[in-house]
Amino acid sequence: MAAELAQEIASQSTNLQDRVIELEGQVSLLKFRLDALESGKKSHEDWVYSAPSISEEELQEMGYDEDAVDEMASVLAEMKNLTNKLRWGCCDKISLGDNIFSQMLKYHERFLPHWRELCDGIYYLKDDDELKCFDIMNVEVPNHIVSMILKAMRGKRLKIECIRFEYCNFSPGIGDGEYGIELASWLLNHSTVSSLVYAGDINYHEFNFRPLISAIVKHKSLRSVEINLCNGIVGEEKASKAGCEMLCSILENTELEYVSFQCNCLKVPNDASRMIEALKGCSKLVYLDISNNAGATGSLPGWGGKRNEVNADKWRLHIFSEVLKVNPNLTVTVGDFNANYQIASKK
């Protein structure tokens, strides 16, 4: 009995010693982090946000209407707030603008000092920092600002839950969409990302999107991709072919669960056979939205031209029945802004 008790005491003593060593290691790590924070604090003690403030009256003089003045003022305030958080190492998301804004807010050169401050703050992000999102919505981002952001991001590998670029006017002139594509592609290639939303960048050359499609295909942690209102190639047949190839490249080479490809000149049912073959291999895909594409509505040539349940059934029977046999969990949304249809297996 005494021997067993002594053995138990010895075992508990060993466990306690191991726990003490573990706690000492944690204390050392906390001290290291505290020293790092103190060092960072000292390096920022003399820093002040130097970008000059812009009043609502000045925004009005710059040509912004009443709604845009309020929205732009909130964006400038958020840029200052984000810059402070980035410099002090307490920023968990980068988000500018909103998808409920009344309009896309045009860039003005007086905003340049604010963008410089923000990019200087982005520079202080560290490897493996985690961001809930990197969002820019309804705020025009000209090419020289994109270049500043890319320069600030170089050398970093981040963890970003969602990247969202919507209506940033990355392509103000024909063929000038490369900078927005480069920013989104760079973030995908140098970050761990779960979701990507890229919308409203009307490109007029299909090759502009190749870097982004390539980055999507290579990125194994992505689960959701939305590319909407981006295919603006001149010429109906060329646009349809480019849109179909963009979508099929994504479907054939990824294991995504959610894909939205709205308003990209995809012609359905013309492109159906190519798309069906791509979809057959998408066993993990549970939702595909191809609404608001040319011909992807309930109004189909030769099928009466009316949106109704009969036409929706024909979609399922004539186009997606083979796919639904392979992947019964898939739901496909077609239609337009007036009426949408969801095609799925009967549960």
Side-chain angles (χ1 to χ4, degrees):
M1 184 68 178
E4 292 178 357
L5 183 59
Q7 185 177 0
E8 183 179 348
I9 291 173
S11 176
Q12 290 182 359
S13 176
T14 300
N15 291 337
L16 287 172
Q17 289 176 1
D18 292 341
R19 180 59 176 157
V20 167
I21 293 172
E22 181 184 349
L23 290 172
E24 286 177 344
Q26 292 179 7
V27 169
S28 297
L29 179 60
L30 288 171
K31 285 182 177 179
F32 174 79
R33 290 177 175 174
L34 180 61
D35 291 341
L37 286 172
E38 289 295 332
S39 175
K41 182 178 179 180
K42 290 176 183 176
S43 67
H44 295 302
E45 276 181 351
D46 298 329
W47 172 79
V48 292
Y49 189 82
S50 62
S53 60
I54 302 175
S55 67
E56 293 186 358
E57 290 76 12
E58 289 174 304
L59 288 171
Q60 288 176 345
E61 292 172 0
M62 291 156 60
Y64 293 93
D65 62 28
E66 186 176 349
D67 289 334
V69 164
D70 292 339
E71 292 163 354
M72 195 66 238
S74 71
V75 169
L76 293 173
E78 185 57 25
M79 291 175 82
K80 182 176 181 179
N81 181 44
L82 284 172
T83 303
N84 277 282
K85 288 183 176 180
L86 286 162
R87 280 186 168 266
W88 292 103
C90 58
C91 185
D92 63 350
K93 65 178 180 179
I94 296 175
S95 183
L96 288 176
D98 203 308
N99 56 12
I100 65 170
F101 276 1
S102 61
Q103 58 196 283
M104 189 272 296
L105 301 173
K106 298 291 288 184
Y107 175 79
H108 193 283
E109 280 302 320
R110 289 193 60 184
F111 304 151
L112 180 59
H114 296 268
W115 279 107
R116 281 179 177 155
E117 285 283 8
L118 179 61
C119 290
D120 286 347
I122 291 173
Y123 175 81
Y124 286 94
L125 285 170
K126 302 182 293 297
D127 279 355
D128 295 325
D129 274 356
E130 297 186 14
L131 296 175
K132 294 177 182 176
C133 62
F134 194 124
D135 297 347
I136 305 177
M137 294 174 284
N138 281 312
V139 176
E140 183 178 27
V141 186
N143 292 345
H144 65 286
I145 299 299
V146 176
S147 297
M148 289 168 53
I149 297 172
L150 283 168
K151 185 177 180 180
M153 295 291 295
R154 281 202 183 98
K156 307 180 193 305
R157 299 195 68 87
L158 306 175
K159 296 178 181 178
I160 307 173
E161 189 171 326
C162 177
I163 297 171
R164 180 183 293 268
F165 298 141
E166 294 189 53
Y167 305 101
C168 301
N169 202 22
F170 286 127
S171 50
I174 291 179
D176 290 334
E178 295 87 351
Y179 279 81
I181 296 296
E182 184 179 355
L183 177 57
S185 302
W186 191 96
L187 287 170
L188 284 176
N189 288 328
H190 295 83
S191 310
T192 302
V193 182
S194 298
S195 175
L196 169 70
V197 180
Y198 196 91
D201 184 10
I202 305 297
N203 281 271
Y204 291 90
H205 299 284
E206 68 261 44
F207 60 78
N208 283 356
F209 264 95
R210 290 176 186 172
L212 182 59
I213 302 302
S214 176
I216 290 170
V217 167
K218 293 176 183 177
H219 202 96
K220 301 307 178 185
S221 68
L222 269 175
R223 291 294 172 264
S224 173
V225 168
E226 299 181 45
I227 299 179
N228 303 321
L229 196 63
C230 289
N231 181 17
I233 297 170
V234 178
E236 185 176 337
E237 293 303 321
K238 188 177 181 182
S240 174
K241 181 180 178 181
C244 184
E245 287 305 314
M246 286 165 59
L247 175 59
C248 291
S249 294
I250 293 172
L251 295 174
E252 290 173 336
N253 297 286
T254 63
E255 294 185 343
L256 295 168
E257 298 170 3
Y258 181 103
V259 174
S260 178
F261 201 74
Q262 299 182 48
C263 304
N264 286 314
C265 302
L266 189 67
K267 291 183 71 177
V268 183
N270 300 44
D271 295 319
S273 59
R274 174 78 176 91
M275 188 166 56
I276 286 170
E277 289 304 310
L279 280 167
K280 284 181 179 179
C282 300
S283 59
K284 294 186 178 180
L285 188 67
V286 296
Y287 187 82
L288 171 65
D289 189 341
I290 52 170
S291 60
N292 302 304
N293 281 289
T297 69
S299 179
L300 299 174
W303 287 358
K306 291 185 178 181
R307 304 181 182 96
N308 52 45
E309 291 302 320
V310 174
N311 282 339
D313 286 341
K314 286 183 177 180
W315 260 100
R316 178 162 50 81
L317 293 172
H318 289 267
I319 298 181
F320 291 103
S321 57
E322 295 179 56
V323 176
L324 294 173
K325 289 177 184 177
V326 177
N327 182 1
N329 296 317
L330 176 63
T331 296
V332 181
T333 295
V334 298
D336 58 21
F337 293 106
N338 297 311
N340 280 345
Y341 302 106
Q342 288 196 334
I343 305 162
S345 296
K346 292 182 179 179
K347 305 299 182 183

